Amino acid sequence: MFKHPDVLWLNTNTYFKRFNLPIIKYLSRQVSIGQWEYEQNQDEGCSLEGAIALLDDYLTMVKKPVHLIGHSTAGVLGLLYARKYPEKIKSLTLLGVGANPSSDWVEYYYNLRKNFPCRREIILTRLSHHLFHYQNHYYQKAFINILDKALLYSLSPHSLYQTSNILKGGIDKPLMVCGSSEDAIVSPQDMEQWQPYLKKEDYLCLINQSSHFFHYLSPQCVGQQILKFLSATSDNILKSELDRKILDLGRY
């Protein structure tokens, strides 16, 4: 098991891990990449601070700064970590995270619950369409089942009774922010609001997709943008053809 990746993909929901695999596989052809997964059971309180502490425990063992990548809530975790421990990262890539970092798919779900008095299954059907943009009935049913479970184990600080706010702004290290051109969860307008917080070396891009999980549906397109950013922030990160490897690191 390799313990010292150059790039670390963050995952905060075990039911969404499968949607990261295509792009991780694509990136692994060029960079040394590992996965860090946070697992939460139903008896635990939701705590981003607790997840930050666990992530720091791991990166302390890595003993070198890494490039962090995270989608949605995992990206928010990376953002908060980068603000608290800037010396332990080289760069941060955020996928599907707007200028208001607290706006995630869980908050979107609870807003639907509050504003549309209908059965939970109908709400989940609508949510699955916005997240994955599949029309096929078979896929819709499968995604509804995934979302039903994912809500129970989400690290998001939001609930049906209250929502939390996270300070807007970027980080001191290089930052890439990538979104979808037709995302209902994090709109292009939300992405454009990053502009005042971006530094000269930061990178903002929109992928021509209509899904919040755009990195799952277009792994090569998103992967190319990430590699371009990583290459600009690190001269020696790209691997040779003979040194390709996927790293799968422990769960926390």
Side-chain angles (χ1 to χ4, degrees), residues 20-229:
N20 300 327
L21 296 180
I23 191 170
I24 289 175
K25 184 178 180 180
Y26 178 84
L27 293 174
S28 72
R29 299 170 184 169
Q30 295 294 333
V31 297
S32 173
I33 185 168
Q35 297 181 71
W36 183 90
E37 183 177 5
Y38 176 82
E39 287 192 350
Q40 176 177 304
N41 62 49
Q42 291 178 264
D43 297 325
E44 290 179 314
C46 183
S47 172
L48 282 167
E49 285 299 324
I52 290 172
L54 290 173
L55 177 57
D56 187 55
D57 288 343
Y58 168 70
L59 288 178
T60 298
M61 294 187 293
V62 173
K63 298 180 180 179
K64 68 174 183 179
V66 299
H67 300 272
L68 291 182
I69 303 176
H71 172 259
S72 189
T73 309
V76 175
L77 173 63
L79 178 64
L80 295 176
Y81 184 86
R83 290 174 177 174
K84 190 171 185 177
Y85 300 104
E87 72 281 1
K88 294 187 178 182
I89 73 161
K90 291 183 178 179
S91 73
L92 173 65
T93 297
L94 301 177
L95 306 177
V97 179
N100 180 7
S102 57
S103 296
D104 65 1
W105 71 275
V106 177
E107 182 187 40
Y108 188 82
Y109 163 76
Y110 286 124
N111 284 335
L112 289 177
R113 286 285 304 271
K114 292 176 182 178
N115 295 320
F116 295 94
C118 53
R119 291 187 295 112
R120 188 169 186 265
E121 184 178 356
I122 295 177
I123 297 295
L124 290 175
T125 300
R126 180 168 181 172
L127 179 62
S128 68
H129 174 74
H130 290 315
L131 292 180
F132 306 105
H133 203 63
Y134 273 105
Q135 303 289 346
N136 182 283
H137 176 72
Y138 173 80
Y139 284 118
Q140 282 281 10
K141 186 175 181 180
F143 286 135
I144 289 171
N145 290 333
I146 290 173
L147 290 176
D148 194 28
K149 297 175 182 177
L151 282 165
L152 297 176
Y153 300 94
S154 173
L155 184 62
S156 174
H158 306 300
S159 71
L160 185 61
Y161 307 103
Q162 65 177 11
T163 58
S164 299
N165 291 316
I166 297 174
L167 184 67
K168 295 182 179 180
I171 60 174
D172 294 333
K173 294 299 181 73
L175 172 67
M176 173 181 173
V177 185
C178 187
S180 168
S181 61
E182 299 180 45
D183 187 354
I185 311 300
V186 180
S187 70
Q189 292 73 29
D190 294 330
M191 298 299 297
E192 286 297 328
Q193 290 177 19
W194 271 106
Q195 290 286 3
Y197 306 107
L198 299 181
K199 306 180 298 299
K200 183 178 179 180
E201 67 270 25
D202 294 342
Y203 184 36
L204 174 65
C205 70
L206 288 177
I207 302 298
N208 187 22
Q209 264 289 350
S210 56
S211 163
H212 186 58
F213 279 79
F214 56 92
H215 66 293
Y216 171 65
L217 298 179
S218 300
Q220 182 172 344
C221 181
V222 180
Q224 288 174 347
Q225 296 299 322
I226 292 175
L227 290 175
K228 178 181 177 181
F229 171 70

